[in-house]
Amino acid sequence: MYLNDFSLSFTLIFVIGWYLLQSIAYYKFFEKAGQPSWIGFVPFYNYYVHLQIIGRPSWWLFLLFVPVVNFFIALTIHLDLLKSFGRYSYKDQSLGVIFAPVYMVYIAFSSATYEGKATEMPKRVRTVGQEWFEAIVFAVFAATFIRWIFMEAYVIPTPSMERSLLVGDFLFVSKINYGPRTPKTPLQIPLTHAKIWGTEIPSYIEAIELPQFRLPSLGKVERNDVVVFNYPVNDTYNRRPDGDFHPLDLKTHYIKRCVAIPGDEIEVRSGQVYLNGEKGKDPEMMQHKYFVETDQVIRDRVFSNYNIWEYGPAVTPEGKKGYVVLTTKYEAEQLTQLEFVKSAEPMFMNKENAEPRIFPNSRYFPWNADNFGPLKIPGRGFTIQIDEYSLAKYGSTIQDYENLTDVEIDEDKLIIDGQEVSEYTFTKDYYFMMGDNRHNSEDSRYWGFVPEDNVVGEASFIWMSMDEKGSFLSKIRWSRLFNVIE
């Protein structure tokens, strides 16, 4: 089960329900603390009285409206309220966080009595071990929460996005842009993803699997966004040592640029993307494969000066000597200014040369990476009539990603739950992703659409960039630090 965004009505019900439960708890807490109980239902004023009861400064009320900071302030005063009513144990504090505000109602109407301001109570005598344990637990909890709701760090492992993003770039990925997902596999070691650090051992247990939802977002995936997502295909990238595959929320992270959204018709002609019949927007640093014709040996230093890292000597069928390089159009033109370079021409595959691995099915659609489509991107509500060719295009998507329990495809027949259907309407949105390094990118041209529930977040900015070929401080690409990703 998956929701792209909570509906407005659901969000209102959730917020109102939370507020009512909190107010009911306040009603009893305030009565026990000698305050008028009716204040528990008064917005903002109830928070003010809450601060008075626990002994925190009144100006903390304003911090409750500062993003990110408000989470830690709310958590602190929430736990302080429990302490003011004698609930110090790890059990009470944990239940108060996990099941708030339901647990707060339980405590409010229990035999718990007001013992005074939490900030003025004698501090418990704790050993050094207990203090360290509490500090570590809080740090892990805070880091896990931030990683889940707001941002997660990510490192570029392959050159598929060069030159927009380089191998060794460390990114922050925003979860709130597209809405954070609730955990599907909750039993996992904090701050890990799929594996225990430095091993192939899974960092999770699949004993409990929850329905997955996406919380309200600032926006949706748009064309040209740089998106981090869980690689959707069950192949070697997602295979575990036991031969099974990682669950959806713990599949391998990929990063690509979204070139087409639901409802778009994508086509690639000689390397150029077209959307709905019109030329698409090219990434500023998009790379292609070029043949650089020259009779001389080009030193590594020359390629490095032109920001070219992927290259090798080559000879054309006509006998021309030179190098095959992956670079931008601008850098290729700059190379032709060198006196020993005769030309630099892009290397696009002929339309007639079909790639066996191409999506969706090379037997029906003999396309290649440079000449692809046209292909309609499915989305929620998109209906297809079932025949041999529509199933060749969309059959694997229906079978693998639409969360159907019993699907069978027999050339021109689609059988769901034992019943043959003549048409199918998609229940999810899908996206078409491509790397900016167009001739060195495993992307949607080869493995298909990215379902909406696989989207993790939007790449926001580079906070560190390391060049493994450098030495000492020269390893850091200083000019890339804190660059916004476009």
Side-chain angles (χ1 to χ4, degrees):
M1 184 177 181
Y2 179 79
L3 293 177
N4 183 52
D5 276 308
F6 286 128
S7 65
L8 178 60
S9 58
F10 187 95
T11 302
L12 288 174
I13 291 172
F14 178 82
V15 171
I16 292 172
W18 182 287
Y19 184 78
L20 282 176
L21 285 172
Q22 176 184 265
S23 297
I24 291 170
Y26 275 160
Y27 178 88
K28 200 64 178 177
F29 278 135
F30 291 177
E31 180 184 276
K32 290 182 176 182
Q35 299 289 335
S37 55
W38 57 267
I39 296 176
F41 292 92
V42 180
F44 306 121
Y45 189 33
N46 51 13
Y47 292 130
Y48 174 81
V49 173
H50 180 154
L51 292 171
Q52 301 303 303
I53 287 175
I54 63 176
R56 294 294 181 179
S58 301
W59 55 266
W60 274 30
L61 181 64
F62 299 101
L63 296 181
L64 290 171
F65 300 93
V66 179
V68 182
V69 174
N70 55 5
F71 163 72
F72 295 102
I73 293 297
L75 180 62
T76 300
I77 67 174
H78 179 73
L79 296 178
D80 277 350
L81 189 61
L82 286 173
K83 292 176 183 177
S84 289
F85 283 83
R87 302 292 177 162
Y88 288 96
S89 70
Y90 292 134
K91 174 185 174 182
D92 283 313
Q93 299 277 295
S94 299
L95 292 174
V97 171
I98 297 171
F99 296 105
V102 175
Y103 193 70
M104 301 302 282
V105 173
Y106 167 74
I107 296 298
F109 284 85
S110 71
S111 59
T113 58
Y114 180 62
E115 297 182 3
K117 297 178 179 180
T119 56
E120 297 177 357
M121 288 181 176
K123 291 188 176 181
R124 290 182 302 154
V125 178
R126 294 174 295 178
T127 65
V128 173
Q130 287 177 318
E131 290 182 349
W132 273 101
F133 176 76
E134 291 182 7
I136 291 171
V137 168
F138 179 80
V140 170
F141 176 80
T144 301
F145 185 86
I146 292 172
R147 185 173 180 252
W148 168 47
I149 292 288
F150 297 106
M151 282 193 171
E152 183 173 355
Y154 180 85
V155 62
I156 299 296
T158 69
S160 67
M161 283 296 291
E162 290 186 347
R163 294 236 323 275
S164 302
L165 297 171
L166 305 181
V167 174
D169 279 351
F170 291 79
L171 320 176
F172 273 129
V173 177
S174 170
K175 301 290 187 72
I176 59 176
N177 284 29
Y178 306 139
R181 300 175 300 178
T182 58
K184 185 179 181 70
T185 314
L187 300 180
Q188 59 177 297
I189 297 174
L191 306 180
T192 64
H193 181 80
K195 304 173 186 177
I196 295 175
W197 310 282
T199 74
E200 292 298 316
I201 302 172
S203 62
Y204 58 90
I205 299 174
E206 292 184 278
I208 298 177
E209 187 174 292
L210 303 176
Q212 191 171 41
F213 300 93
R214 190 178 295 278
L215 303 182
S217 62
L218 296 179
K220 295 183 180 295
V221 180
E222 298 179 351
R223 298 185 196 96
N224 297 307
D225 283 357
V226 177
V227 181
V228 172
F229 55 92
N230 296 114
Y231 177 61
V233 184
N234 280 338
D235 60 13
T236 54
Y237 292 107
N238 283 320
R239 191 182 297 276
R240 300 188 315 209
D242 62 1
D244 205 346
F245 299 98
H246 295 301
L248 186 154
D249 57 333
L250 295 175
K251 288 186 174 182
T252 301
H253 281 152
Y254 257 42
I255 183 167
K256 304 289 179 186
R257 190 177 298 275
C258 177
V259 295
I261 61 176
D264 283 345
E265 184 176 77
I266 187 172
E267 186 175 6
V268 183
R269 307 173 197 165
S270 297
Q272 175 63 56
V273 171
Y274 287 82
L275 296 175
N276 307 316
E278 298 183 359
K279 184 178 178 180
K281 180 182 177 182
D282 291 334
E284 183 180 354
M285 303 301 290
M286 180 175 66
Q287 292 194 154
H288 282 113
K289 188 183 294 182
Y290 286 82
F291 179 73
V292 178
E293 185 181 358
T294 179
D295 294 328
Q296 297 188 26
V297 174
I298 301 180
R299 303 296 180 187
D300 293 345
R301 174 178 52 80
V302 175
F303 286 121
S304 179
N305 290 340
Y306 287 90
N307 298 309
I308 296 171
W309 298 281
E310 297 176 273
Y311 54 88
V315 179
T316 69
E318 297 79 19
K320 295 180 180 179
K321 296 181 180 180
Y323 290 81
V324 172
V325 304
L326 287 162
T327 189
T328 65
K329 181 179 179 181
Y330 173 78
E331 302 290 3
E333 291 173 349
Q334 293 301 302
L335 284 174
T336 62
Q337 304 301 311
L338 300 174
E339 60 180 15
F340 51 85
V341 173
K342 297 179 181 180
S343 64
E345 299 295 332
M347 302 175 66
F348 296 122
M349 287 180 279
N350 293 326
K351 191 173 183 179
E352 294 74 25
N353 296 340
E355 289 190 87
R357 295 176 51 246
I358 207 71
F359 179 82
N361 188 320
S362 60
R363 185 162 67 94
Y364 290 87
F365 308 102
W367 303 336
N368 58 49
D370 293 327
N371 297 278
F372 183 97
L375 178 65
K376 189 87 168 182
I377 313 302
R380 191 182 291 108
F382 175 61
T383 301
I384 60 170
Q385 301 302 313
I386 302 302
D387 57 38
E388 186 176 354
Y389 284 90
S390 66
L391 287 177
K393 277 187 177 180
Y394 302 109
S396 62
T397 303
I398 295 170
Q399 198 165 36
D400 296 337
Y401 307 134
E402 284 286 286
N403 295 343
L404 300 170
T405 55
D406 183 11
V407 183
E408 184 180 345
I409 295 175
D410 184 10
E411 289 194 0
D412 62 346
K413 295 179 181 178
L414 175 64
I415 302 169
I416 301 176
D417 296 329
Q419 299 293 320
E420 183 178 348
V421 298
S422 59
E423 63 178 29
Y424 182 78
T425 300
F426 285 86
T427 62
K428 296 182 183 180
D429 285 336
Y430 293 85
Y431 303 94
F432 199 91
M433 307 288 187
M434 291 175 66
D436 289 357
N437 196 354
R438 293 292 162 83
H439 281 144
N440 189 12
S441 175
E442 285 280 333
D443 52 39
S444 288
R445 292 171 293 179
Y446 294 100
W447 40 254
F449 309 114
V450 174
E452 60 181 356
D453 39 355
N454 285 57
V455 172
V456 174
E458 182 178 11
S460 297
F461 65 91
I462 301 166
W463 63 272
M464 175 58 74
S465 184
M466 302 290 288
D467 182 1
E468 63 178 16
K469 296 179 181 179
S471 59
F472 196 48
L473 290 180
S474 64
K475 278 183 173 289
I476 301 176
R477 303 185 184 107
W478 298 97
S479 62
R480 297 185 65 76
L481 269 56
F482 302 106
N483 282 0
V484 175
I485 297 170
E486 298 179 355

